[in-house]
Amino acid sequence: MATETLLKTNKHSKYISYRKILYHRFFVGLLLFIVVSLVFTVLFNIYAGSSPRTEIYEPVSLDLVSLQVTKIKINAPYSAPRYGNCTYWSCFNVYKCGRGGHDKITIYIYPLREYRTEEGRLISQLSKEFYEILDTIRHSKYYTANPEEACLLVPSIDTLNQNTFSSKHVSQALQSLQYWNNGENHLIFNMLPGSSPNYETVINLNTSKAIIAGSGFNTWTFRYGFDISIPLYSDVARGIDNKQPEQKNYLIISTQQNIPDDYLAELQNIASSSNDLLLLGNCKDSNRIDHMKRCEYTTGRIFNYPDILKEGMFCLVVRSARLTQSVLLDILASQCIPIIIADTIILPFNSHVDWHRISLYLPEDNIKNLLRIVHSVSKERRGELYWQLRWVYEKYFASIEKITLTTLEILNEKVFPLAARMYEEWNMPEHLYGPVNPLFLPVTAPKSPGFTAVILTYDRVDSLFTLIKKLVRTPSLAKILVIWNNQKKPPPPSSEWPVINKPLKVIRTKENKLSNRFYPYDEIETECQLTIDDDIIMLTPDELEFGFDVWREFPDRIVGFPSRLHVWDNVTASWKYHSEWTNQISMVLTGAAFHHKIWSWYYTYKMPAEIRTWVDDHFNCEDIAMNFLVANVTRKPPIKVTPRKKFKCPECTNTEMLSADARHMSQRSACIHRFTKIYGHMALQAVEFRADPLQYRETNSGVPQLYPDIGAL
């Protein structure tokens, strides 16, 4: 019995040992398989990467030589008629856009071809303007050669002029396009819709669900939020320069050739009774119409066109049989303020360009009061219209390229509204209105995130450590960032730094520059940052906390403690830096100041580079530069906090202090004078204002003070 048990035990042990061997071999084999697979994958990627890659999709060729001919059969199907109520929800597939993880539309151009009927007749003539449109798209940031990733597709069939193509055959050609899909996500360009005698206000073509970038729309045919209204391009406008006469000789000029008879009769009555309107039309004596000449209705005097447009303060654009008029671009290019007399017209880029800033509207039934209305426009209003319209023309209308790029930008903002520019950026040129304030903050910024203290230091370790110990007692402090500006000496080891209960990080700079204090470091996670020098150790936690609370009420301004003023020196005829105690201030020094972190980004990337170079070369005036920057953008003065007047470094000798240099004040004055020249105007704003705690003077009021430890003068 014992023998049998022993034999069974031996057999069982051998079985277990055999299973262990199998498991061992299996896992070893699996490991070898994984290793071999990894090696094979690495080698494959190396050799595959070393071979040249070829693009599957080549950019479209716009070469007009030897174009491929596509014949449209007589019985080919037509595209569906234009959908009258299209929106981006019903006629557009937004899921085709942004596939690359970016907020930018991608546009594909169909290969350029000759479309002919079976008899060999061209169904559309390729114009110079349409070729420029295609070429602009091809070289824009929106172009893609891959139709599968395209957000928009543009047929290479010229449909700009209704009179140069066959609507029937073009409709068949559109339907034959590989990705037409009932016009979804397609873009059609048109400048002259309709034809005689009806002159429709939208292209007479079966465009299905396609977006139409066209001119001549009226309020009935324009699909708001979907179509794009573009101008009727004028070759005449291209040749008009921006030179202006010393004075405008005429109040109102009309040079339009096709004004309806009833409106023309009203204008003739006005012109015959007043010299304020110069009414011009075709010259009747010649056998053929010379489009570069205009004759006065009353006297027959001959004027050169478009030169005469520059002599008028206002120029008329009147509704005619064709709602769109090329004279509009001629007027804008001549810097003559347009008066629009067309009740139902949709003006170019109306969704983004504010035409009230560059033109006057006059209802058609009020044309008889033209002079009275124009005379009521103040000189200030005329000046605003005059200076604005040249900028608008140069930016959006001056060429086919600019018209096309503006159209694409508007389309991009419709598809990606979060990437849209603000109204001010579209309509308020910086040279007229100053830069746009980038901050849209609540009236009072929240307190909970706190602020980040950014300390610029070089070698004053004892003073730096004292400052850190004081800063951490401020309740709203979130983090301390020490900018170590000494490349010759490393910062102290971590064991020597004060033990504090707030995060602290040391950043070593590559160059000793004062501008390093305003670099937009990623470590600044709060909206507010306190920029402070390492020797400003006299500020109490209550003063810092109060300063932060004041900044929360003025989050787009510099809020701080030491203040200065700029004054005009009549002797030197220049601006001067003033550091004496006055009621007025125009600068808050950033040796101890709160500001929004976006100003550091503006200082580094948007401020004129000439100013930053000046600061780094002269090792001075970075605080003045920051005050100029913020005031130039916001057009607001800084805020001084608490009554403190003097900020001295008690542990420093005078020879160590930058301000002890005898040249310091003259350099500061030179900075103000130079920065004013660079900006083109004095950006600093003076103010008589100081923020103090409500009860800091009431010592025996019996009411507990929120900030009891506010320093004296």
Side-chain angles (χ1 to χ4, degrees):
M1 195 71 182
T3 306
E4 284 184 17
T5 304
L6 182 61
L7 289 172
K8 288 180 179 179
T9 303
N10 289 336
K11 287 181 179 179
H12 184 67
S13 300
K14 290 179 180 179
Y15 176 71
I16 292 175
S17 300
Y18 182 69
R19 282 204 328 184
K20 287 182 178 179
I21 292 171
L22 289 178
Y23 281 132
H24 176 73
R25 290 178 178 175
F26 172 76
F27 284 112
V28 170
L30 181 61
L31 180 61
L32 287 173
F33 175 77
I34 293 173
V35 171
V36 171
S37 299
L38 289 174
V39 172
F40 176 77
T41 303
V42 171
L43 291 174
F44 176 79
N45 287 334
I46 291 174
Y47 286 108
S50 63
S51 60
R53 296 187 178 185
T54 57
E55 292 187 4
I56 299 175
Y57 299 99
E58 294 291 337
V60 66
S61 173
L62 297 181
D63 187 2
L64 299 179
V65 180
S66 64
L67 290 178
Q68 181 179 345
V69 177
T70 299
K71 289 195 174 182
I72 303 299
K73 295 182 179 180
I74 193 170
N75 58 349
Y78 296 92
S79 55
R82 175 177 178 266
Y83 285 46
N85 297 312
C86 273
T87 66
Y88 277 88
W89 294 272
S90 60
C91 297
F92 192 86
N93 185 359
V94 295
Y95 297 105
K96 289 185 176 181
C97 306
R99 291 180 178 177
H102 49 71
D103 52 359
K104 183 183 70 175
I105 59 174
T106 48
I107 305 178
Y108 171 77
I109 300 174
Y110 283 93
L112 201 58
R113 296 179 179 178
E114 278 190 5
Y115 289 91
R116 294 182 176 271
T117 63
E118 287 187 326
E119 295 82 12
R121 287 183 288 107
L122 274 174
I123 68 170
S124 174
Q125 296 283 348
L126 183 65
S127 63
K128 177 184 65 175
E129 290 79 11
F130 187 69
Y131 182 85
E132 288 183 35
I133 290 174
L134 296 182
D135 188 62
T136 301
I137 298 174
R138 165 66 182 82
H139 292 95
S140 73
K141 63 181 179 180
Y142 303 108
Y143 176 72
T144 178
N146 183 1
E148 301 296 337
E149 69 175 17
C151 172
L152 279 169
L153 300 97
V154 177
S156 56
I157 306 172
D158 189 346
T159 55
L160 288 184
N161 189 340
Q162 186 80 63
N163 298 315
T164 61
F165 66 86
S166 166
S167 297
K168 168 187 171 183
H169 294 106
V170 170
S171 298
Q172 292 175 315
L174 292 176
Q175 185 62 32
S176 69
L177 296 176
Q178 182 179 357
Y179 306 100
W180 177 247
N181 190 26
N182 211 19
E184 187 178 79
N185 289 60
H186 280 67
L187 176 62
I188 304 291
F189 285 91
N190 173 250
M191 286 187 177
L192 275 175
S195 55
S196 180
N198 297 323
Y199 294 109
E200 293 89 349
T201 57
V202 66
I203 183 173
N204 183 17
L205 180 67
N206 290 353
T207 55
S208 305
K209 296 181 179 180
I211 300 170
I212 297 177
S215 58
F217 285 113
N218 65 10
T219 53
W220 294 97
T221 56
F222 185 69
R223 296 172 293 186
Y224 287 90
F226 191 73
D227 291 328
I228 308 292
S229 178
I230 64 175
L232 172 57
Y233 183 69
S234 169
D235 262 335
V236 174
R238 176 182 290 185
I240 300 175
D241 57 36
N242 57 6
K243 295 179 182 178
Q244 291 291 306
E246 293 183 2
Q247 64 177 10
K248 301 284 189 177
N249 295 321
Y250 301 97
L251 179 63
I252 308 172
I253 292 179
S254 173
T255 61
Q256 193 172 318
Q257 295 175 305
N258 49 4
I259 299 176
D261 292 339
D262 49 346
Y263 296 151
L264 183 59
E266 291 281 2
L267 294 175
Q268 286 175 333
N269 289 335
I270 296 173
S272 60
S273 60
S274 172
N275 292 327
D276 288 336
L277 172 62
L278 177 64
L279 185 60
L280 306 178
N282 295 328
C283 296
K284 299 178 181 179
D285 295 338
S286 58
N287 295 325
R288 62 183 183 86
I289 297 176
D290 186 353
H291 295 287
M292 306 308 289
K293 299 289 183 182
R294 296 290 190 274
C295 290
E296 189 176 8
Y297 276 95
T298 54
T299 64
R301 283 190 301 165
I302 301 175
F303 296 86
N304 292 324
Y305 183 86
D307 300 341
I308 185 59
L309 291 174
K310 291 185 178 181
E311 309 241 353
M313 175 61 69
F314 297 91
C315 293
L316 295 184
V317 180
V318 185
R319 178 185 62 80
S320 184
R322 193 185 289 280
L323 193 55
T324 183
Q325 299 292 331
S326 62
V327 72
L328 177 60
L329 280 196
D330 299 343
I331 290 172
L332 292 179
S334 302
Q335 214 161 332
C336 184
I337 302 169
I339 300 177
I340 311 296
I341 308 177
D343 291 348
T344 61
I345 191 172
I346 301 296
L347 289 169
F349 306 136
N350 66 316
S351 59
H352 288 67
V353 175
D354 188 349
W355 281 84
H356 291 286
R357 288 182 172 272
I358 60 173
S359 66
L360 298 180
Y361 282 97
L362 184 65
E364 293 178 20
D365 59 0
N366 209 13
I367 194 171
K368 56 182 176 295
N369 295 318
L370 171 65
L371 291 184
R372 183 175 61 82
I373 293 172
V374 172
H375 282 298
S376 68
V377 180
S378 66
K379 289 185 178 179
E380 292 77 12
R381 172 68 172 150
R382 293 180 188 181
E384 291 172 0
L385 294 168
Y386 177 79
W387 291 112
Q388 171 88 357
L389 65 87
R390 184 72 202 186
W391 175 80
V392 169
Y393 173 77
E394 290 292 346
K395 191 168 183 63
Y396 303 122
F397 302 115
S399 64
I400 288 290
E401 179 184 9
K402 291 183 178 180
I403 292 171
T404 305
L405 290 177
T406 303
T407 302
L408 301 185
E409 190 169 352
I410 291 175
L411 284 168
N412 190 70
E413 294 192 359
K414 289 178 181 293
V415 177
F416 298 101
L418 293 180
R421 291 191 294 160
M422 296 179 292
Y423 166 87
E424 290 82 3
E425 293 178 88
W426 277 91
N427 294 282
M428 297 177 68
E430 189 170 320
H431 71 281
L432 292 181
Y433 301 97
V436 178
N437 191 339
L439 294 174
F440 288 89
L441 299 171
V443 176
T444 302
K447 188 169 186 174
S448 55
F451 65 90
T452 300
V454 180
I455 308 172
L456 184 70
T457 187
Y458 186 80
D459 199 15
R460 293 192 285 241
V461 176
D462 293 339
S463 175
L464 171 65
F465 287 173
T466 302
L467 174 61
I468 291 174
K469 292 175 183 177
K470 288 196 171 187
L471 283 175
V472 295
R473 293 164 50 200
T474 308
S476 294
L477 176 71
K479 179 190 290 186
I480 297 177
L481 209 60
V482 176
I483 311 303
W484 189 265
N485 227 17
N486 190 342
Q487 289 76 42
K488 299 179 181 179
K489 178 181 177 181
S494 58
S495 59
E496 297 181 11
W497 288 76
V499 179
I500 60 176
N501 60 349
K502 299 290 177 68
L504 184 148
K505 183 169 183 178
V506 180
I507 296 178
R508 300 184 66 179
T509 59
K510 296 180 179 179
E511 294 181 79
N512 183 17
K513 294 181 178 180
L514 290 178
S515 297
N516 289 333
R517 78 185 329 154
F518 297 130
Y519 188 81
Y521 299 100
D522 293 337
E523 288 78 7
I524 304 175
E525 298 173 337
T526 59
E527 297 291 303
C528 179
Q529 73 178 73
L530 167 67
T531 305
I532 189 166
D533 288 338
D534 58 3
D535 60 346
I536 305 296
I537 59 175
M538 72 292 299
L539 289 174
T540 66
D542 278 352
E543 286 176 313
L544 291 170
E545 187 70 13
F546 177 67
F548 174 59
D549 284 339
V550 173
W551 175 86
R552 290 172 52 226
E553 296 188 31
F554 303 94
D556 59 343
R557 307 201 206 183
I558 300 177
V559 175
F561 302 91
S563 60
R564 298 291 184 266
L565 179 66
H566 72 285
V567 295
W568 179 258
D569 189 343
N570 287 323
V571 177
T572 61
S574 62
W575 293 103
K576 186 178 179 181
Y577 180 80
H578 191 66
S579 63
E580 298 301 320
W581 183 259
T582 64
N583 289 331
Q584 276 194 325
I585 71 159
S586 61
M587 291 172 279
V588 164
L589 305 187
T590 53
F594 294 91
H595 62 83
H596 196 284
K597 68 177 181 180
I598 197 173
W599 298 126
S600 293
W601 184 88
Y602 262 65
Y603 184 99
T604 304
Y605 298 112
K606 299 287 284 185
M607 187 177 71
E610 187 179 350
I611 294 180
R612 195 164 51 254
T613 302
W614 172 277
V615 168
D616 294 336
D617 290 346
H618 292 78
F619 213 76
N620 201 343
C621 302
E622 86 286 359
D623 46 2
I624 299 177
M626 177 60 87
N627 277 271
F628 262 85
L629 169 67
V630 176
N632 186 61
V633 174
T634 64
R635 298 182 288 281
K636 297 176 183 177
I639 303 293
K640 174 174 171 52
V641 179
T642 76
R644 273 196 189 273
K645 174 184 176 183
K646 298 180 179 180
F647 283 78
K648 292 183 178 179
C649 175
E651 299 175 3
C652 305
T653 63
N654 284 339
T655 57
E656 290 178 334
M657 296 179 64
L658 177 64
S659 58
D661 191 332
R663 297 173 298 173
H664 179 64
M665 294 299 291
S666 61
Q667 284 184 354
R668 307 279 280 181
S669 297
C671 288
I672 292 179
H673 188 67
R674 185 170 184 84
F675 297 168
T676 303
K677 278 190 170 183
I678 293 173
Y679 279 106
H681 66 105
M682 170 47 72
L684 298 176
Q685 303 283 333
V687 66
E688 294 184 13
F689 181 85
R690 190 183 78 200
D692 292 323
L694 185 62
Q695 297 169 327
Y696 88 98
R697 290 182 180 275
E698 302 178 11
T699 55
N700 299 316
S701 62
V703 180
Q705 296 188 24
L706 187 59
Y707 313 99
D709 192 10
I710 297 292
L713 294 177

